[in-house]
Amino acid sequence: MQTTLSFIKADVGSIGGHVAPSEHLFQTVRNYVAESRDAAGLIDFQMLTTGDDIGILMTHRHGIGHPTIHRLAWDAFHAGADAAKAQGLYGAGQDLLVDAFSGNVRGAGPGVAEMEFEERPNEPFLVFMADKTEPGAFNLPLYRAFADPMNTAGLLLSSEMSKGFRFRIMDVSYTQGDRVIELNAPENLYEIAALLRDNDRFVVEAIFSRADGDQAVAVSTTRLHNIAGKYTGKDDPVYICRVQKNFPATGEIIAPYAEAPFVNGWMRGSHVGPLMPVKSGCSISYFDGPPVITALGFCVHNGRLTEPVDLFAHPYWDSVRMRAANKATEMRRQGFSGAAMVSYGELEYGGIVKILEKLDERFVVREASHALAATGG
Ligand code: F6R
Ligand code: MG
Ligand code: MG
């Protein structure tokens, strides 16, 4: 029998700015899900937070994109938004972008990562949640984990894994529908890299084992920017990743986060900062950041979830956090200049765009300087 994992997350309000949801808000969403679980046919669920986002991890048998499950998450976040308003929380209801809910949270504001599969006898998987960044932030860690033998020795050591992985990559700049391409590692390694170097535009949506076709990864690829047509916060993406046996080991999946790679997002969604691996439930701080990522490990059996294990709570990650903090400070030293801020098209606030529009008419066109030099001007 097939099990579905649905992981749906949203920012519906937080304390002290865009920092962390209140306990009351978190419990309101949790209680709503707990009270509705039987009617919706949930087998199990777990609640998570990272920064100002709340995630609902659900197991059921309905398959992906099912209206009952999406409606449950939507209504739970709405109950949370009401609680947030009642407490005067900042950004109450922020990610609930549509008035008329159509039965699927995709394109309505919340992020969603879902996967349906036949459970293995032992079914370990990981859930990642990031705050103050975009889904392209996962490109490099996923490339290294699933395509780079320098990171994942399993690609050399396991005959199943050495058959490689199929990457499904989405062009998130396309707004008329979903534009996707499928490429195989290792044969198409350079093509995959050529796309994934551009985190703003190309985003890993899913990865499949080529040994048996089984899905390993499902990423939320929503761009709030595209839905709302204006700034509503960065997407703060999530993903589900099955691990072990034909898939990379847990340690191989999380190891690339030791790079604390620079990603877009951070303050006002408009800066470039290191992605810091933090414990689940961690808030954000320095310049509304730096961008953070959490990773929880679970096992599932007949749809029942174990308790989570926090993968970035291990002492190893303290030194990575120190390094990420130093990278963050170094980048902030150069303020708005050059590489410290995202490109023009990715700016989340319109201020700079308006300044440039106003200045445009004040520019004067004069003869090119080499021509002036030739005439002695
Ligand atoms: C970034 C983020 C924050 C806000 C910033 C200003 O994703 O959530 O950095 O952009 O705190 O917020 P507003 O415009 O709501 O005052
Ligand atoms: Mg927020
Ligand atoms: Mg957030």
Side-chain angles (χ1 to χ4, degrees):
M1 194 180 290
Q2 302 259 305
T3 298
T4 308
L5 299 179
S6 296
F7 188 39
I8 304 187
K9 71 100 226 173
D11 170 0
V12 290
S14 47
I15 313 174
H18 294 272
V19 178
S22 69
E23 187 59 25
H24 175 60
L25 160 53
F26 182 75
Q27 292 302 341
T28 304
V29 179
R30 169 197 278 280
N31 290 343
Y32 192 96
V33 179
E35 279 158 22
S36 322
R37 63 181 287 175
D38 291 345
L42 286 194
I43 304 172
D44 211 347
F45 77 99
Q46 288 269 353
M47 303 286 304
L48 319 172
T49 72
T50 299
D52 58 9
D53 297 297
I54 297 179
I56 314 171
L57 174 65
M58 295 170 277
T59 63
H60 55 91
R61 307 258 183 241
H62 297 317
I64 65 171
H66 197 277
T68 308
I69 299 300
H70 282 231
R71 155 83 50 200
L72 168 58
W74 180 261
D75 289 345
F77 285 127
H78 253 287
D82 291 343
K85 276 179 205 140
Q87 279 196 306
L89 297 193
Y90 194 64
Q94 171 183 301
D95 284 355
L96 306 178
L97 297 177
V98 298
D99 294 328
F101 181 66
S102 66
N104 194 304
V105 297
R106 255 180 77 92
V112 53
E114 290 187 295
M115 216 192 278
E116 185 184 23
F117 53 85
E118 194 72 44
E119 280 178 16
R120 298 169 288 175
N122 317 285
E123 187 58 67
F125 71 95
L126 317 181
V127 164
F128 290 83
M129 263 181 102
D131 190 31
K132 308 295 181 241
T133 190
E134 61 187 8
F138 302 144
N139 284 358
L140 178 60
L142 287 173
Y143 174 84
R144 297 198 86 149
F146 284 88
D148 181 0
M150 290 290 278
N151 178 83
T152 301
L155 294 168
L156 310 177
L157 296 170
S158 149
S159 56
E160 295 306 299
M161 279 176 60
S162 69
K163 294 186 176 124
F165 291 90
R166 176 162 53 92
F167 283 67
R168 186 186 296 151
I169 298 169
M170 181 182 281
D171 175 357
V172 290
S173 71
Y174 189 76
T175 52
Q176 309 307 309
D178 289 346
R179 187 165 182 259
V180 295
I181 186 171
E182 295 205 343
L183 293 167
N184 284 329
E187 301 91 302
N188 305 131
L189 218 49
Y190 294 170
E191 288 90 344
I192 293 171
L195 296 180
L196 295 190
R197 58 148 225 104
D198 190 349
N199 289 356
D200 297 348
R201 178 157 183 205
F202 298 107
V203 170
V204 176
E205 182 191 62
I207 302 177
F208 302 86
S209 158
R210 291 174 69 199
D212 57 12
D214 249 19
Q215 186 166 0
V217 173
V219 181
S220 68
T221 47
T222 318
R223 293 217 69 185
L224 294 173
H225 195 79
N226 293 349
I227 301 168
K230 61 175 169 54
Y231 174 77
T232 48
K234 269 280 180 256
D235 316 294
D236 303 341
V238 298
Y239 68 98
I240 302 169
C241 180
R242 295 167 72 204
V243 291
Q244 308 293 148
K245 281 282 175 213
N246 290 358
F247 305 129
T250 303
E252 290 166 334
I253 296 288
I254 62 173
Y257 290 101
E259 299 292 335
F262 283 112
V263 297
N264 288 348
W266 203 351
M267 170 58 74
R268 297 178 191 278
S270 301
H271 290 76
V272 176
L275 186 59
M276 183 188 273
V278 294
K279 295 173 193 167
S280 184
C282 185
S283 61
I284 51 88
S285 178
Y286 179 66
F287 284 104
D288 287 359
V292 290
I293 179 145
T294 58
L296 291 180
F298 291 92
C299 281
V300 62
H301 191 60
N302 295 328
R304 294 251 168 239
L305 293 165
T306 59
E307 73 277 21
V309 56
D310 192 330
L311 295 160
F312 293 143
H314 187 276
Y316 170 80
W317 297 94
D318 292 340
S319 72
V320 175
R321 287 189 266 277
M322 286 294 289
R323 209 153 43 73
N326 289 335
K327 285 176 79 165
T329 307
E330 287 305 316
M331 192 55 114
R332 280 306 314 187
R333 283 205 173 124
Q334 71 178 65
F336 61 76
S337 179
M341 282 186 86
V342 297
S343 61
Y344 185 79
E346 285 297 308
L347 289 169
E348 297 282 1
Y349 283 67
I352 291 180
V353 176
K354 284 212 180 82
I355 292 174
L356 294 188
E357 275 167 12
K358 242 166 75 192
L359 290 181
D360 195 55
E361 59 211 37
R362 289 182 51 195
F363 272 86
V364 289
V365 179
R366 63 169 202 214
E367 251 183 287
S369 41
H370 63 270
L372 289 175
T375 59

